[in-house]
Amino acid sequence: MGRKAGILIAVAVAALAINLDITIVNVALPSIATELGAGTRDLQWIVDGYNLAFTALVLAAGSLGDRFGRRPALIVGLLGFAATNVVGALVTNSDALIAARFGMGAFAALIFPTTLSIISNAFPDRRQRAAALGGWGAVVGVGVASGPVVGGLLLEHFYWGSIFLALVPLALIAAGLAFALVPESRDPAVPALDKRGLFVSMAMLGSLTYTVIEAPEHGLDSTFTLLGFTASAVLIEVFVVVERAAEHPMLDVSLFRDRRFSAASGAVTVTFFALSGFIFLITQYFQVVRDFGPLSTGARILPVAISIAIASVVGGILAPRVGTRAVVVTGLTFFGTAMAWIA
């Protein structure tokens, strides 16, 4: 069990690094605007360039990791993630920072699905896997929620680039642990890469995410936005057709006929969509409207991180005992109530 604990620590540190990067930048936006002369649109892309690259590449990256080896995929992803964060900390203009954020998101896309595959391979026992996934989920949630806290603490003492440099040691530690502890594994049943599915999925996810990001700039009812959503809908349909026709699809869309799979996917999507939006909004509200400093802002979001950490572990323990449905429904009910209260 000692080696398994080490494996779990390795993937947890990796997950922590890439999820911190999702929200840690939010509290630094005022400083970045001043130091790099970034406008509102630039700031939006600095935040969302990471998400766009991650979203567009995560499906393909997961397939590549399973096919060519999860351990090297994790290590390459972590080293690339560390390098792009160094670049992000040293740039002198907003365009270069946006490019660096795209690079961070691309390498995060290689890391994220690989950590889940490694957990599934290392913990074949159902109860152990549930506990491991609970711990992984706690780290992911804490990473997203504690980003503003960590960023605020750094900005109290260092310049804006420190928020990226701080992630480099985490990535390097995770890479070292992966090299030393994570066994090589791959899925021998994974066929050749579904290139058509890869291309269409990147276009589909990229188009949808790009449209959502640009919609506030052009207007929700603008021709640009409506065409973007229409193109995204068409590409989703094309993706389904391509994957159903493929002999070895990258994503077996028939899985969504299983209500449990669809419900689980929907629950994760809604939760992280709302959580990320909440963090983005509340950090700006505290700093711009309420005039709190970065550290004060981060401290006010700390209860979110603590509650996620506790509930994720408890949920992982309860799921095998009382059933996944009861845990998920209860969690979504509490989460929805909290969002309504905050609104």
Side-chain angles (χ1 to χ4, degrees):
M1 188 61 190
R3 184 182 180 93
K4 287 186 177 181
I7 293 171
L8 185 58
I9 291 172
V11 298
V13 174
L16 177 63
I18 63 175
N19 282 283
L20 273 172
D21 213 355
I22 294 173
T23 56
I24 195 172
V25 71
N26 289 332
V27 294
L29 292 179
S31 299
I32 292 173
T34 301
E35 297 297 327
L36 300 185
T40 302
R41 190 166 179 272
D42 295 325
L43 294 177
Q44 187 174 5
W45 273 109
I46 288 168
V47 172
D48 292 326
Y50 181 96
N51 299 324
L52 177 56
F54 179 89
T55 304
L57 296 173
V58 68
L59 277 178
S63 296
L64 289 172
D66 286 338
R67 177 171 173 77
F68 296 107
R70 293 153 183 156
R71 179 169 174 261
L74 181 60
I75 294 172
V76 169
L78 286 164
L79 294 178
F81 181 79
T84 49
N85 270 277
V86 171
V87 172
L90 300 177
V91 299
T92 56
N93 62 75
S94 59
D95 289 339
L97 181 54
I98 292 169
R101 291 288 288 169
F102 270 90
M104 296 173 202
F107 285 111
L110 186 59
I111 296 167
F112 190 80
T114 305
T115 59
L116 285 171
S117 296
I118 289 172
I119 288 175
S120 297
N121 181 74
F123 297 89
D125 178 76
R126 182 174 179 270
R127 287 184 179 274
Q128 288 187 357
R129 188 188 304 127
L133 289 173
W136 178 90
V139 170
V140 169
V142 168
V144 172
S146 63
V149 183
V150 177
L153 185 61
L154 290 167
L155 290 172
E156 282 289 314
H157 303 285
F158 307 103
Y159 85 118
W160 65 266
S162 63
I163 63 173
F164 298 119
L165 290 177
L167 300 176
V168 175
L170 278 178
L172 295 178
I173 289 170
L177 290 172
F179 180 80
L181 299 173
V182 174
E184 178 56 283
S185 67
R186 65 186 71 192
D187 186 351
V190 172
L193 185 64
D194 174 18
K195 295 180 181 178
R196 288 196 304 169
L198 168 60
F199 176 77
V200 177
S201 71
M202 290 176 62
M204 171 190 71
L205 295 169
S207 172
L208 179 59
T209 310
Y210 181 83
T211 302
V212 171
I213 291 172
E214 287 290 322
E217 180 75 17
H218 296 274
L220 288 174
D221 58 350
S222 67
T223 301
F224 174 90
T225 302
L226 294 176
L227 287 175
F229 282 127
T230 301
S232 300
V234 171
L235 286 168
I236 291 172
E237 185 63 30
V238 171
F239 178 73
V240 172
V241 172
V242 167
E243 294 302 274
R244 291 183 66 180
E247 183 179 359
H248 301 292
M250 181 175 64
L251 175 63
D252 185 358
V253 293
S254 65
L255 287 171
F256 289 95
R257 294 174 184 166
D258 185 332
R259 290 180 298 174
R260 292 172 300 177
F261 179 83
S262 295
S265 300
V268 171
T269 300
V270 168
T271 302
F272 278 93
F273 182 86
L275 179 62
S276 297
F278 163 72
I279 297 297
F280 179 81
L281 171 66
I282 207 69
T283 52
Q284 300 305 299
Y285 171 75
F286 280 149
Q287 292 187 84
V288 177
V289 178
R290 300 297 300 276
D291 201 29
F292 295 136
L295 181 57
S296 181
T297 296
R300 284 170 167 78
I301 301 173
L302 190 59
V304 179
I306 294 172
S307 63
I308 287 174
I310 295 172
S312 295
V313 173
V314 172
I317 295 172
L318 289 178
R321 292 171 170 80
V322 303
T324 304
R325 178 187 299 179
V327 173
V328 173
V329 170
T330 302
L332 287 174
T333 301
F334 285 154
F335 188 78
T337 303
M339 288 292 108
W341 180 44
I342 291 167

